[in-house]
Amino acid sequence: MKNAAKILGVLILVPTAILAGYITAGVILLKRIDYEMTGYSLKGINKGILSLILELKIINPSFIKVGIDKYDLTVSINNIPVSKLSSKIPILIQANDFTEISIPVDVDIEKSFGVLKSREIIGYFIAQQYDKITIFVRGDFGATVMKIPISTKIDEKWTLKEISEIMST
């Protein structure tokens, strides 16, 4: 009878330990979600409002699919915060796959940069001096893995020149 209990215990504990290891490995990989800025489009400058769309690729390196439930991001231009964005639109990313999201950004140039700096920023766009414009994206993505909530951070920066080079490849 004692041997039967031992065998039953092993039959329960071993698969449970394997499953726990599998989930833990998947969650560790998800904490390393990768991001790439794949493009942008300048919609225009109208009445002092700069409108652009940033294209962000979210890469799931895990062998487990992940659901992105929400994101809270701060977009900065030349390290000056210009827009706070959040979304609760669910996104499912399959294992070892990626998805792209569009992030609309509307910037009140003068309010964000002041009169003198706003003219400088607009001048960079007009002169296409994209190496002088750096986009920062900071914040976090809330996700679920097998109904377990996790949070992953983003703290990335790219110049518009770098993004333009990615777009042309």
Side-chain angles (χ1 to χ4, degrees), residues 80-153:
I80 296 173
V82 295
S83 186
K84 290 191 178 285
L85 307 162
S86 63
S87 175
K88 292 188 177 183
I89 297 171
I91 303 166
L92 182 65
I93 308 173
Q94 295 298 324
N96 297 305
D97 203 357
F98 68 90
T99 191
E100 291 189 79
I101 61 171
S102 297
I103 303 171
V105 180
D106 291 320
V107 181
D108 184 328
I109 299 274
E110 196 168 305
K111 183 178 175 184
S112 297
F113 295 101
V115 175
L116 294 177
K117 189 74 172 169
S118 65
R119 289 183 181 153
E120 180 182 325
I121 295 292
I122 290 171
Y124 293 153
F125 277 100
I126 292 170
Q128 297 182 352
Q129 292 179 305
Y130 297 138
D131 59 323
K132 297 187 183 271
I133 303 168
T134 304
I135 303 292
F136 295 80
V137 179
R138 297 180 177 110
D140 67 306
F141 286 84
T144 53
V145 179
M146 299 175 70
K147 302 198 184 215
I148 300 169
I150 64 167
S151 177
T152 181
K153 301 278 183 209

Side-chain angles (χ1 to χ4, degrees), residues 39-64:
Y40 73 94
S41 57
L42 179 61
K43 296 298 180 187
I45 301 173
N46 187 12
K47 296 182 181 177
I49 304 294
L50 168 71
S51 296
L52 54 98
I53 305 280
L54 302 174
E55 301 294 334
L56 183 68
K57 181 191 277 188
I58 306 170
I59 304 163
N60 174 11
S62 175
F63 49 84
I64 302 172

Side-chain angles (χ1 to χ4, degrees), residues 1-2 17 20 43 65 71 77 80 90 93 97 102 114 119 126 135 157 159 162 168:
M1 190 71 166
K2 289 183 181 181
K43 296 298 180 187
K65 66 182 174 184
Y71 61 80
I77 296 177
I80 296 173
I93 308 173
D97 203 357
S102 297
R119 289 183 181 153
I126 292 170
I135 303 292
K157 71 175 183 175
T159 66
E162 292 169 328
S168 66

